[in-house]
Amino acid sequence: MQKRWVGLLLCFLAAAAFPATGRAEGPGDGGEGWVIVQYRAEPGAAWAGGSGGGEPLSTTYRSVPVPQGVSPDEFAALLRLDPGVVSAQADATVYASGTPNDPYYSTEQASYLGQIGAPRAWDTATGRNTVTVAVLDTGLDLGHEDFAGRLWENPADANSNGIDDDGNGCIDDRYGCRFINLDKNRERDCGYTSSERTGAVTDDHGKPGASSHSHGTMVSGIIGAAGNNGTGVAGIAWDVRIMAIKVLDCGTLAHGGLPSGEMFNVAEGIRYAQRMGAHIINLSLASAPGDQKADNPALREAIQSAQSAGILIVTAAGNHGSNPSQPGPGYPAAYTQFPNVVAVGSFDNTAGNTWATFSAYGPAIDFAAPGYNIASTTRMALGGYGRDKGTSYSTPLVTGMFALMMVRNSGLSYTDFLQIAASAASPAPPASHGQNWAGAGIINIGAALDLVPMAVTGTPMHNWKDLPPGTEVRATVDGTECGSTTAFGFGPVTRFALKVKAATEAAGCGAPGKTVQLHFGGTPALPTLVWGGLNVDLSVINKDISTVSPDPGAIVVQPLGNSWSNIAHLDSDGPLPNALSYLPNNWVAAMKWNPGSPGEGGSSGFLVAARGAPTYVSNWPAIQRYEALWIDAVAANVATLNPNPAPGRTVQLMPGWNNIVYTGTSRSVSDALASMAGKYAQVMQFDNATGTWLSHIPGRSRYLNDFGGLLKLQVYWILVTQPATLTMD
């Protein structure tokens, strides 16, 4: 009987919450807020309620408006009685953090950017379009002159056809997605007509003459407005891509003109940003101080998922630090259990870099950045440029720092970036309240970029074959050791991951133009690496680096086995058998493979020179330098003078097997045979000492091949699929 009563009550509440128009009406209709509901639903099941905005990105959570006459907590308690509901919790409101009621102090942009080392950073990196920053805010003025060519785009759903073409839960999301719940306040003040998830991400915050406006456009400009373009302001990372995700409204009268949104939609925005490939998420927003409703499982799950994906979430501490009863940061900045959440406080860059009295403080704060008179882009309709203050505008300065660090080395983890930023931060003076307000300190972007190391991953090899796990790997710059590690096994292959220190961290180490030499087991390896300059990525991924057997010296020694051996003729041209006088006296016969012979009807494809036999037995009258030959002799070493072949020697190869002497620089098979790429199917080498064949097939996994490179003055067989010219440099 109780279940039936609960079901009827829930049906009544659902009817009240979702009127016949199909539009979810919220607090503006007399209800008070929204409830985050987690349903028990089978895949594909219809949802009993929701935000009315298309399929959300979370799989089980929905945002349900509270009906009239019921408080959010009461409605949540009633929903929890439904056996189909896992959890129900009143949602929290989040606010833009950039409009504290403090005096406005005008200053030049260069002043505070110089305080945090931005000009120094721009000598190393200014940005790259491979880094995407998602800005969850009031949206973005998509036509602003300082964002031309800098907007992230989703080509899979950019045709404005009213359809979610890529099935990501958002319609026509060319530049991003809007996650805003509809209520009467937003309908009246912002002109919204639906909670539908669409690409309508244009910034609509503020009115002409307002003291604070264009929150999302300002935040985005601090991160990524074009620099060095003769227009407007310079962002921290000039060329990154901005993904606009609208989770804050235009600023309704009910909230004093301050943009607001629901925490559930912040969670949805985080999920969208992760799904669409963002590397960093900027949240210049925070819940009200002490609002425990803001800590909800949907938000925690979204942050946890972003953490697993390696995404940094940089979030504002909030502007309620002057409230001694609730000085701690709002959510999400209040989370300390998620290492990818970076909480940002503000310092007063106009008064000795002291704590900004509006900035929230407490154990959760990670960094501080300038908070006063921050210049940035505004909506073009409202003038295009302006200044404001608050943790909202400190936060994107930190986000821009991390974006430049990612430009400098895309192969580092977010924990690496956090450690580097903390090491580079400047100490912050104590505040009057005596608590943590700056975390690791005041950001120093230039110092952080100077500390970014080179990161190299790959396979340590000798002659392009894997060295064993446990091999020592070292990096030197001009003889100075700048990093070391040990190779490890990864399935059938060996791998290494090495960080090479910058000169700022270790004197004499990496700096633009410097050569980085790797050593495996103490032996120098090739190729060497160059420490790149402006905007060059210091991440070197899956690099095949190998030590190489040294080239023969003045005397070339070739071993012979107990029977037939395959060797190179390195002496002068001459008639046979006299030209083979360097061979042991007991050799019996010499043969040369002729790839142009028919190989049928008694002809084996070999030319033969027999020692001490009648002339008619031999059909190979003369030999030329760098021809390969087979010798029938007993075990011995053959020594000849090194002819030191000049680079650029060419040989013509015929379809089928060809026996050649390689005279080029020792290098990997693919590099050595680059001049005939696609025209060979296999390379083989005969091991004279053991009498066995070694094989290399292009495209096969390295550990399945017997060798990986061609060495100077050694002999190989190449199976050619069409006529080819081999050039050996």
Side-chain angles (χ1 to χ4, degrees):
M1 184 69 181
Q2 182 184 20
K3 288 185 178 179
R4 181 181 179 188
W5 177 84
V6 171
L8 290 173
L9 178 60
L10 291 174
C11 287
F12 168 77
L13 291 174
F18 300 98
T21 61
R23 177 171 56 85
E25 299 185 11
D29 299 312
E32 191 63 39
W34 305 75
V35 172
I36 300 175
V37 185
Q38 183 182 17
Y39 292 98
R40 302 183 198 278
E42 297 298 325
W47 296 105
S51 57
E55 183 65 19
L57 295 169
S58 53
T59 56
T60 58
Y61 293 99
R62 294 296 182 270
S63 183
V64 178
V66 177
Q68 296 181 19
V70 184
S71 74
D73 288 336
E74 290 172 335
F75 186 41
L78 289 171
L79 289 170
R80 287 195 292 269
L81 295 175
D82 186 344
V85 170
V86 175
S87 66
Q89 176 180 333
D91 201 354
T93 302
V94 293
Y95 302 92
S97 299
T99 53
N101 295 322
D102 298 84
Y104 184 88
Y105 299 98
S106 178
T107 185
E108 294 295 323
Q109 191 182 19
S111 174
Y112 62 84
L113 290 181
Q115 287 176 287
I116 57 175
R120 173 180 166 187
W122 293 331
D123 288 338
T124 303
T126 57
R128 191 185 307 115
N129 61 12
T130 54
V131 175
T132 298
V133 179
V135 179
L136 277 63
D137 216 287
T138 64
L140 178 64
D141 184 345
L142 301 174
H144 197 290
E145 59 189 357
D146 247 339
F147 293 106
R150 286 161 176 80
L151 302 179
W152 170 86
E153 293 195 46
N154 174 20
D157 200 0
N159 53 12
S160 301
N161 62 357
I163 299 172
D164 180 10
D165 293 296
D166 55 358
N168 68 353
C170 195
I171 297 170
D172 295 333
D173 54 323
R174 179 177 182 178
Y175 300 110
C177 189
R178 185 181 81 169
F179 297 89
I180 299 288
N181 291 339
L182 179 67
D183 59 32
K184 285 295 186 182
N185 292 319
R186 289 166 178 162
E187 184 176 35
R188 180 190 64 239
D189 297 340
C190 302
Y192 303 156
T193 59
S194 169
S195 296
E196 193 170 46
R197 305 324 191 200
T198 74
V201 295
T202 299
D203 189 358
D204 55 3
H205 169 222
K207 307 295 182 185
S211 60
S212 178
H213 58 72
S214 307
H215 192 269
T217 300
M218 285 200 72
V219 168
S220 297
I222 294 167
I223 296 169
N228 200 32
N229 67 341
T231 301
V233 297
I236 297 297
W238 305 344
D239 293 312
V240 298
R241 292 295 175 261
I242 301 295
M243 180 188 296
I245 301 177
K246 186 172 175 61
V247 298
L248 299 177
D249 61 25
C250 70
T252 64
L253 294 176
H255 290 126
L258 187 66
S260 65
E262 284 70 53
M263 195 64 84
F264 173 76
N265 286 329
V266 174
E268 290 288 87
I270 292 172
R271 290 184 179 276
Y272 176 89
Q274 177 183 341
R275 178 177 293 182
M276 303 310 290
H279 301 97
I280 312 174
I281 296 172
N282 188 95
L283 301 178
S284 288
L285 49 82
S287 67
D291 187 352
Q292 294 305 308
K293 298 191 303 295
D295 176 20
N296 67 74
L299 178 62
R300 291 195 299 271
E301 285 188 18
I303 293 174
Q304 179 65 63
S305 180
Q307 178 186 324
S308 299
I311 300 172
L312 270 173
I313 299 176
V314 186
T315 181
N319 300 322
H320 45 265
S322 57
N323 180 357
S325 63
Q326 296 286 351
Y331 288 96
Y335 285 123
T336 57
Q337 66 267 46
F338 298 110
N340 64 321
V341 173
V342 181
V344 179
S346 295
F347 71 82
D348 187 343
N349 45 290
T350 68
N353 295 355
T354 57
W355 168 62
T357 56
F358 58 77
S359 179
Y361 54 88
I365 305 300
D366 293 294
F367 296 98
Y372 281 91
N373 304 323
I374 308 302
S376 187
T377 49
T378 66
R379 292 163 52 199
M380 293 297 288
L382 301 179
Y385 299 94
R387 295 178 183 273
D388 212 333
K389 52 190 175 293
T391 57
S392 272
Y393 307 120
S394 304
T395 301
L397 292 170
V398 178
T399 296
M401 174 184 68
F402 286 121
L404 287 185
M405 293 170 73
M406 289 185 182
V407 168
R408 192 55 173 151
N409 191 325
S410 62
L412 299 180
S413 67
Y414 73 81
T415 55
D416 291 326
F417 293 127
L418 288 171
Q419 290 170 1
I420 293 168
S423 297
S426 304
S432 57
H433 50 68
Q435 297 189 47
N436 170 47
W437 64 273
I442 295 170
I443 61 168
N444 188 324
I445 305 176
L449 261 68
D450 285 346
L451 285 173
V452 172
M454 176 181 284
V456 188
T457 64
T459 299
M461 297 182 289
H462 177 64
N463 292 342
W464 297 277
K465 282 292 291 181
D466 293 29
L467 287 164
T471 299
E472 178 194 51
V473 180
R474 293 189 303 113
T476 62
V477 176
D478 294 335
T480 300
E481 183 167 327
C482 300
S484 64
T485 188
T486 301
F488 57 91
F490 187 77
V493 300
T494 305
R495 304 286 292 165
F496 74 91
L498 176 67
K499 291 177 184 174
V500 186
K501 298 174 185 176
T504 306
E505 181 178 1
C509 287
K514 290 287 188 179
T515 297
V516 177
Q517 174 72 68
L518 297 191
H519 306 254
F520 301 146
T523 303
L526 295 173
T528 57
L529 307 172
V530 176
W531 195 283
L534 179 64
N535 288 330
V536 174
D537 194 344
L538 294 181
S539 176
V540 182
I541 300 174
N542 293 330
K543 188 72 172 179
D544 288 345
I545 299 178
S546 183
T547 59
V548 183
S549 294
D551 289 344
I555 303 296
V556 181
V557 178
Q558 300 181 81
L560 301 180
N562 279 316
S563 183
W564 288 98
S565 299
N566 200 197
I567 67 170
H569 176 70
L570 303 178
D571 214 334
S572 302
D573 300 354
L576 294 175
N578 295 340
L580 302 179
S581 59
Y582 57 86
L583 293 174
N585 289 331
N586 58 7
W587 72 273
V588 177
M591 293 195 303
K592 167 191 161 183
W593 176 250
N594 182 7
S597 65
E600 299 177 354
S603 173
S604 66
F606 281 103
L607 300 178
V608 179
R611 182 166 176 265
T615 305
Y616 62 83
V617 175
S618 300
N619 61 351
W620 184 17
I623 191 170
Q624 294 180 328
R625 177 174 284 168
Y626 305 129
E627 285 188 330
L629 67 150
W630 285 95
I631 291 294
D632 183 8
V634 297
N637 284 333
V638 173
T640 54
L641 292 175
N642 190 335
N644 295 312
R649 174 174 165 259
T650 63
V651 292
Q652 303 300 316
L653 304 183
M654 301 290 291
W657 285 105
N658 295 258
N659 193 198
I660 63 105
V661 176
Y662 181 71
T663 60
T665 302
S666 297
R667 50 175 61 119
S668 67
V669 173
S670 59
D671 287 345
L673 302 183
S675 62
M676 48 180 294
K679 298 181 180 181
Y680 65 98
Q682 189 174 6
V683 182
M684 297 188 73
Q685 183 177 34
F686 186 74
D687 187 334
N688 296 333
T690 62
T692 58
W693 285 96
L694 307 177
S695 173
H696 177 101
I697 296 177
R700 175 184 282 183
S701 296
R702 186 173 55 253
Y703 63 88
L704 295 177
N705 283 323
D706 297 318
F707 61 94
L710 303 189
L711 304 183
K712 193 167 190 174
L713 297 183
Q714 292 199 13
V715 180
Y716 299 93
W717 289 79
I718 305 176
L719 179 58
V720 177
T721 56
Q722 54 184 293
T725 300
L726 172 59
T727 301
M728 293 171 277
D729 293 320

